[in-house]
Amino acid sequence: MKKKIIIALIVLLLVGLIFLFIKMFKKEDKTLIKTYGNIEIRTVDLSFQVSGIIEKVLVEEGDYVKKGQILAKLIDKDYVANYQKALYQEASSYAQAREDEDKYKRNLPLCKDGTISKQECDTLLNKKDLSSATYKQNSANKDYQKNQLDYTIMYAPQDGIITTRAQEMGARVNANQVVYVMSLTKPVWVRTYIKETDLGNIKYGQKAIVLTDSINPKTGKKKEYIGTIGYISPIAEFTPKIVQTQDLRTDLVYRIRVYIYEVDEFLRQGMPVSVEIDLKDNNELRRD
């Protein structure tokens, strides 16, 4: 019995020594940079450019929207009336401007030969110029009122996902008051950090593999995305506490961004990911 125990202890000791030997002499892979970071996505606060009462809210939180899609509308009765009034003022002033210009042109020969007094001629000229200025002013006001009317409809500025719906139908909102918060579908990037010793081995446009912690049910492996290095900070900094690396947290690192262009709905704001940069792969991925 004692012999078996002694043999077992010897086997365990040998296994431990072999493991320690392998760990001490195993060469670190210098051709693969591994780092960790988080997904970042730009968000946009959406609001009306004019004040009013919300008539319709057409999308909900979590909805995907396309650029140019209508998201919400204000009650526009007053804005329609103001625009129609501006149209009538423009038409009226245009007619008056044409009449005063025609009258001046008819009397211009009489002004040149002195048939009518200089004062009368100056009056005709001033009236023509005033009518013309009034027409231009009313025309500009018409354009302004048309813009105000158009601003009662909110459109999606880009493709994205509605993450917050801050207002409801019937609410009175001021100009620039947030109605929705939208998360853009592109660009999506990973904010991560690399050691100073790896800085000379990376470049703009270099390919990187981004891996999430989620398992793809189709492959049984971690979900994988192709990215490119799009930003390299010129300033060194201490590793942020939120970043987990295999080195000491006091090491100086450089912040980089790895942009992901082929994105899907599974990439979320703040999601932790790992990044692998194969230094043997010199292919660059250029994106317009």
Side-chain angles (χ1 to χ4, degrees):
M1 183 68 180
K2 291 183 179 179
K3 290 183 178 180
K4 292 182 178 180
I5 295 175
I6 294 173
I7 293 173
L9 291 174
I10 293 174
V11 171
L12 289 174
L13 180 61
L14 289 174
V15 170
L17 290 174
I18 293 172
F19 177 77
L20 181 62
F21 180 83
I22 293 174
K23 185 175 181 180
M24 290 178 59
F25 290 93
K26 182 181 179 181
K27 292 184 179 180
E28 182 182 355
D29 187 356
K30 297 294 185 180
T31 63
L32 185 66
I33 299 175
K34 292 184 178 181
T35 184
Y36 308 91
N38 298 86
I39 293 292
E40 290 193 355
I41 303 173
R42 287 195 178 102
T43 59
V44 181
D45 292 339
L46 302 179
S47 59
F48 290 102
Q49 293 182 249
V50 294
S51 61
I53 297 175
I54 297 178
E55 181 182 23
K56 295 179 180 179
V57 281
L58 302 174
V59 292
E60 301 287 344
E61 292 178 353
D63 286 350
Y64 285 83
V65 296
K66 294 291 186 179
K67 181 179 180 180
Q69 180 178 338
I70 297 177
L71 306 180
K73 294 182 179 181
L74 295 177
I75 296 175
D76 62 1
K77 291 188 295 184
D78 291 342
Y79 292 99
V80 170
N82 289 337
Y83 176 56
Q84 290 177 338
K85 180 181 178 181
L87 287 173
Y88 298 145
Q89 289 175 336
E90 181 192 40
S92 176
S93 59
Y94 176 70
Q96 186 64 51
R98 287 190 59 183
E99 180 180 345
D100 291 339
E101 184 175 6
D102 291 343
K103 187 174 181 180
Y104 173 75
K105 288 180 178 180
R106 287 196 302 269
N107 288 276
L108 185 59
L110 301 178
C111 292
K112 290 182 178 180
D113 63 12
T115 303
I116 59 178
S117 66
K118 185 177 184 305
Q119 183 177 358
E120 290 178 297
C121 292
D122 290 342
T123 299
L124 290 171
L125 177 61
N126 291 336
K127 191 174 181 181
K128 175 185 76 71
D129 292 342
L130 179 60
S131 297
S132 177
T134 301
Y135 164 68
K136 292 177 181 178
Q137 181 181 15
N138 288 335
S139 180
N141 181 59
K142 177 209 67 176
D143 294 338
Y144 171 77
Q145 295 299 338
K146 180 62 168 60
N147 289 338
Q148 296 293 291
L149 177 58
D150 291 341
Y151 294 153
T152 62
I153 301 177
M154 180 188 297
Y155 300 91
Q158 297 185 51
D159 295 350
I161 304 171
I162 300 299
T163 57
T164 302
R165 172 174 157 174
Q167 302 294 337
E168 297 296 332
M169 185 175 65
R172 174 173 286 279
V173 293
N174 297 321
N176 302 318
Q177 184 175 347
V178 176
V179 177
Y180 294 109
V181 178
M182 186 178 77
S183 176
L184 304 182
T185 55
K186 293 181 181 180
V188 174
W189 69 83
V190 179
R191 181 182 62 179
T192 186
Y193 299 82
I194 65 166
K195 296 182 296 184
E196 184 274 334
T197 52
D198 292 324
L199 186 62
N201 291 324
I202 64 171
K203 59 184 177 179
Y204 290 102
Q206 191 169 2
K207 178 182 175 181
I209 303 298
V210 178
L211 301 168
T212 69
D213 292 335
S214 303
I215 302 298
N216 189 334
K218 295 181 179 179
T219 62
K221 300 179 180 179
K222 290 184 177 182
K223 290 186 177 180
E224 181 178 306
Y225 300 87
I226 304 298
T228 59
I229 298 176
Y231 171 78
I232 304 173
S233 174
I235 302 173
E237 54 189 287
F238 288 103
T239 309
K241 292 182 180 180
I242 59 172
V243 177
Q244 299 178 2
T245 65
Q246 298 174 353
D247 301 309
L248 297 176
R249 294 187 185 277
T250 55
D251 283 352
L252 286 175
V253 293
Y254 289 80
R255 179 163 53 92
I256 67 172
R257 284 181 182 174
V258 176
Y259 285 89
I260 305 170
Y261 292 92
E262 300 300 328
V263 300
D264 57 27
E265 64 271 22
F266 298 109
L267 290 177
R268 310 289 174 77
Q269 176 74 27
M271 177 183 284
V273 295
S274 58
V275 178
E276 297 181 356
I277 303 172
D278 188 354
L279 301 182
K280 293 182 294 185
D281 186 355
N282 293 319
N283 293 328
E284 297 182 20
L285 299 180
R286 296 297 183 185
R287 299 286 181 173
D288 296 330

